[in-house]
Amino acid sequence: MDEKKILLLGDASSEIVIEGINAYKKRNQIPLDKKIIFDAIKVSHHGSDANLSKELLKHIDSQNWIFCGNTDTAPHIHIIANIVYQPISDFIQKRRLFFNSHYYKNGIYNKMMTKVLMLKDEGIEIEVLQINEITL
């Protein structure tokens, strides 16, 4: 069975996650400036702008980003933009955004569906999917 690395952020703040990631890097002798690639990342606090900083994104990345919940304001569009506009690496050719619902009060799922072709014109490959479960 293939081993998978999944980062479940819960409601953790970026600062707390960075602390944990750096401790993991030190314990495993990984350079502190090296980004850790996960098979999937469950975005913290529904994609709130208070929980996924650009600084944290310097430490983690994935092809698969999972958004859960249905709030009035999250996920925030600029959080999604920060994820989508990260540089592509050897390990990540396309980003996949998974939403547990196609109905969000802020309309983010539908907004992202309309952005797929525009982003492709910019050379950014993404998929936007509504899921109830995910297989990696």
Side-chain angles (χ1 to χ4, degrees):
M1 183 157 104
D2 282 338
E3 288 190 23
K4 301 288 184 185
K5 285 195 299 194
I6 300 171
L7 183 61
L8 303 171
L9 294 174
D11 285 344
S13 69
S14 292
E15 295 77 21
I16 296 295
V17 177
I18 291 168
E19 234 177 80
I21 292 288
N22 284 337
Y24 173 84
K25 288 177 181 177
K26 287 177 186 174
R27 192 171 50 254
N28 292 284
Q29 299 178 338
I30 299 169
L32 290 178
D33 62 344
K34 183 176 168 90
K35 198 178 263 202
I36 297 178
I37 306 298
F38 292 89
D39 294 291
I41 296 174
K42 190 279 182 190
V43 177
S44 62
H45 205 249
H46 315 290
S48 165
D49 61 348
N51 294 75
L52 190 66
S53 68
K54 286 184 179 181
E55 186 61 32
L56 175 54
L57 292 174
K58 292 178 184 176
H59 295 271
I60 62 172
D61 204 353
S62 180
Q63 179 171 315
N64 301 299
W65 293 82
I66 303 165
F67 296 85
C68 295
N70 187 358
T71 71
D72 289 337
T73 58
H76 291 101
I77 190 72
H78 67 271
I79 293 301
I80 294 173
N82 289 343
I83 292 168
V84 168
Y85 282 101
Q86 287 188 87
I88 298 295
S89 71
D90 293 338
F91 305 102
I92 299 167
Q93 301 306 311
K94 170 177 24 177
R95 300 203 195 286
R96 300 166 73 202
L97 307 177
F98 294 95
F99 296 88
N100 72 319
S101 173
H102 66 292
Y103 173 75
Y104 281 83
K105 293 176 186 170
N106 65 359
I108 194 67
Y109 177 82
N110 292 328
K111 288 176 191 172
M112 289 311 300
M113 288 299 291
T114 63
K115 302 258 184 244
V116 171
L117 290 176
M118 180 198 74
L119 289 166
K120 188 171 185 164
D121 288 344
E122 293 180 32
I124 299 170
E125 291 275 338
I126 68 164
E127 283 183 78
V128 177
L129 305 144
Q130 189 272 319
I131 60 157
N132 293 319
E133 63 181 53
I134 183 172
T135 303
L136 299 174

